[in-house]
Amino acid sequence: MAAVLVIEDDPRIRASVAERLAERGHHVETAHRAMDGIRLAVSGQFEIVVLDLGLPDLDGSEALQMIRAVSDVPVLIATARDDEAGIIQLLDAGADDYVTKPFSADHLEARIRAVLRRRSGAEDENTVISVGDLSLDVGRREARLGDELLDLTAKEFDLLAFLAERADHYVNKRELLAGVWHQPYGGADKTIDVHLSWLRRKLGETAAEPRYIHTKRGVGVRLSAPMP
Ligand code: CA
């Protein structure tokens, strides 16, 4: 549960996001103009800001810069733009993460939790992410399948955690390179494929018969609980 500021000009999205987050126990305030939003964002009252990129009075990226000039409050960008280069620029400019519209409340909340966890040093000992029988203890950096502790390398754990935090959503290679390998400008796709195949082996599955790790050509990879 967190104090969340939602800066969004679309009244329907604003109301529904606020309502859904409040239902989940968060304290939510909203602003519909960038300037009001920035003033609230830097006030120190909020643990995280969800910032719409398309605002009437100021472009969201400018709003981000103005917030960042005076505050390091976590900022989660909400964007309808499917523009990788623009998104990477925003991440470089200090956004903590982004969600692409339309997004579900569950997805938004998962991203909020992930950002707060990362910001707190990720070392919240009680943080366990579960996907089916797979559970990841983020603080201890341990992954289990059922009762069995998986023998993962540091990178394999990072990759699995990145996918688990985004369970049921496809993540593209660019995002994996930026988020897991810290190479926002691209790199060897092969690296990802190799790590995925190692992970698959350790999870006891193959690309031909996936259980947890699903890849879709040209889209990306997603982690999901196996069908019962
Ligand atoms: Ca908008």
Side-chain angles (χ1 to χ4, degrees):
M1 155 161 162
V4 185
L5 173 65
V6 177
I7 309 176
E8 165 68 66
D9 63 308
D10 182 318
R12 252 181 356 159
I13 298 177
R14 192 172 63 238
S16 105
V17 167
E19 190 182 329
R20 299 281 164 68
L21 290 178
E23 276 168 15
R24 288 164 167 76
H26 299 288
H27 169 75
V28 188
E29 286 188 37
T30 61
H32 66 279
R33 294 169 55 86
M35 293 315 288
D36 301 330
I38 291 166
R39 205 175 49 240
L40 285 166
V42 304
S43 68
Q45 292 172 257
F46 298 96
E47 288 158 81
I48 187 162
V49 177
V50 179
L51 174 66
D52 172 32
L53 271 197
L55 293 166
D57 52 331
L58 194 64
D59 187 73
S61 59
E62 290 174 79
L64 173 65
Q65 283 173 20
M66 290 175 69
I67 293 170
R68 273 291 164 269
V70 290
S71 168
D72 69 348
V73 63
V75 176
L76 183 63
I77 298 287
T79 176
R81 300 175 198 171
D82 189 14
D83 160 17
E84 273 185 24
I87 288 167
I88 285 165
Q89 239 169 30
L90 287 163
L91 296 174
D92 282 347
D96 288 78
D97 205 344
Y98 68 96
V99 287
T100 310
K101 292 178 186 176
F103 48 79
S104 69
D106 283 339
H107 184 55
L108 177 65
E109 206 206 7
R111 309 302 321 124
I112 287 174
R113 272 189 278 123
V115 167
L116 294 176
R117 197 156 56 228
R118 272 206 304 279
R119 279 298 196 105
S120 69
E123 309 349 318
D124 180 355
E125 249 121 274
N126 303 317
T127 300
V128 174
I129 310 171
S130 296
V131 180
D133 287 337
L134 189 62
S135 64
L136 279 83
D137 186 323
V138 177
R140 291 165 185 260
R141 296 182 58 82
E142 286 178 358
R144 285 188 159 73
L145 185 58
D147 294 332
E148 187 201 347
L149 184 63
L150 298 174
D151 180 19
L152 303 181
T153 65
K155 215 35 127 184
E156 287 164 1
F157 183 87
D158 290 346
L159 173 59
L160 191 58
F162 193 85
L163 293 172
E165 285 175 345
R166 295 160 179 77
D168 298 329
H169 289 266
Y170 278 102
V171 178
N172 67 39
K173 293 197 163 179
R174 192 74 178 264
E175 291 169 294
L176 288 174
L177 284 171
V180 180
W181 279 270
H182 311 294
Q183 296 178 346
Y185 304 106
D189 284 8
K190 199 97 190 126
T191 308
I192 297 176
D193 295 337
V194 168
H195 279 83
L196 284 174
S197 85
W198 287 336
L199 260 188
R200 279 202 166 108
R201 195 175 309 167
K202 292 179 180 179
L203 293 172
E205 62 182 65
T206 62
E209 287 182 56
R211 294 179 67 236
Y212 284 91
I213 298 177
H214 302 264
T215 47
K216 196 185 257 186
R217 189 183 289 276
V219 179
V221 52
R222 104 182 126 77
L223 187 77
S224 289
M227 293 297 195

